[in-house]
Amino acid sequence: QINSHISFDGGQLSNPGGTALNLRNAEIPALRICLSSPPDGAIDLTGTHVGSYTDDPETWPEMLYLHGFTYEILENGKVSVRDRLRWLARHPGGYIPQLYDQLTACYQRAGHDEAARRVAIAKQRRRRNIVSPLNWLWYVTVGYGYRTWLAAMWLAALAVAGTVAFSHAYRRHLLIPGPHAPAFHPLIYTLDTLLPVVNFGQKSNWTPTGWA
């Protein structure tokens, strides 16, 4: 337990093939690792807890142990979310949920809700089979539930496509309804086929044939 901040500004760390900096299980109010060059060796922050953390992407180590590393504030606001995800990927051993949960919580505390959502989505992508069609479907349609507004965009796109298609199909590829059927409206018919529960009386009275 260290009661003051630790700074490695401009420093050089070297232990070829080993651990260049070991702060495992340390408790530090503030930690700053902005070296003059990337370390020759790994940095171990396993189980470390810091109040604030500052680093420099230009000098990140090739191997960075982050399992159990917790921090209240990330001071370097110039580091993008994409870079932070690459930062997490430097931890060896594959997918670890805690790394993503910690980064998400940090962004949420700072009020960066969009950044937090991006990390949460990245977590879901990592935990699933990346080449699975179902995984891509969840990602593209609703962003694993973190971007539900995407569903509205898909619905709008399908509504436009359906309206155009059924406008061309009208008369030739839609069966003539009975004498009491409502007039045909391409948009309303499309919405009637897309939306569950609601019934505009179009789908039940007009029957498509052929390519329609």
Side-chain angles (χ1 to χ4, degrees):
Q1 183 171 350
I2 301 170
N3 294 323
S4 183
H5 73 277
I6 297 180
S7 173
F8 290 91
D9 274 10
Q12 293 182 333
L13 301 173
S14 180
N15 184 17
T19 301
L21 175 63
N22 186 347
L23 292 173
R24 179 182 288 257
N25 297 322
E27 293 188 17
I28 310 167
L31 175 61
R32 183 179 176 92
I33 305 179
C34 296
L35 305 172
S36 60
S37 60
D40 189 359
I43 291 181
D44 191 350
L45 299 176
T46 303
T48 305
H49 175 74
V50 300
S52 65
Y53 180 71
T54 308
D55 60 0
D56 181 4
E58 297 295 327
T59 60
W60 283 344
E62 290 296 325
M63 189 172 297
L64 181 62
Y65 293 94
L66 295 170
H67 194 191
F69 177 44
T70 56
Y71 40 88
E72 301 297 325
I73 302 172
L74 289 172
E75 295 289 357
N76 191 349
K78 295 182 179 180
V79 182
S80 67
V81 179
R82 178 178 296 182
D83 285 337
R84 278 295 168 204
L85 292 173
R86 292 172 179 164
W87 177 66
L88 296 184
R90 291 175 183 253
H91 177 86
Y95 168 72
I96 297 179
Q98 180 268 331
L99 274 62
Y100 294 86
D101 293 338
Q102 168 62 40
L103 185 56
T104 298
C106 182
Y107 279 134
Q108 288 174 335
R109 284 193 299 269
H112 302 311
D113 294 334
E114 177 58 27
R117 277 192 293 271
R118 290 181 60 182
V119 176
I121 291 172
K123 174 189 173 184
Q124 296 302 320
R125 291 190 67 184
R126 283 295 307 274
R127 70 182 292 264
R128 290 175 167 85
N129 185 357
I130 296 179
V131 298
S132 168
L134 184 60
N135 181 39
W136 279 101
L137 179 65
W138 277 109
Y139 174 70
V140 172
T141 53
V142 291
Y144 304 112
Y146 293 99
R147 291 176 176 170
T148 52
W149 52 268
L150 285 173
M153 294 183 62
W154 280 105
L155 181 63
L158 289 170
V160 171
T163 300
V164 173
F166 292 122
S167 294
H168 288 287
Y170 181 54
R171 300 291 187 188
R172 297 185 60 186
H173 296 282
L174 285 157
L175 294 182
I176 299 174
H180 302 293
F184 181 75
H185 294 282
L187 175 59
I188 303 302
Y189 180 86
T190 302
L191 293 177
D192 214 357
T193 60
L194 281 176
L195 300 177
V197 183
V198 297
N199 183 4
F200 295 112
Q202 291 279 308
K203 186 172 67 172
S204 58
N205 285 283
W206 292 84
T207 304
T209 62
W211 65 265

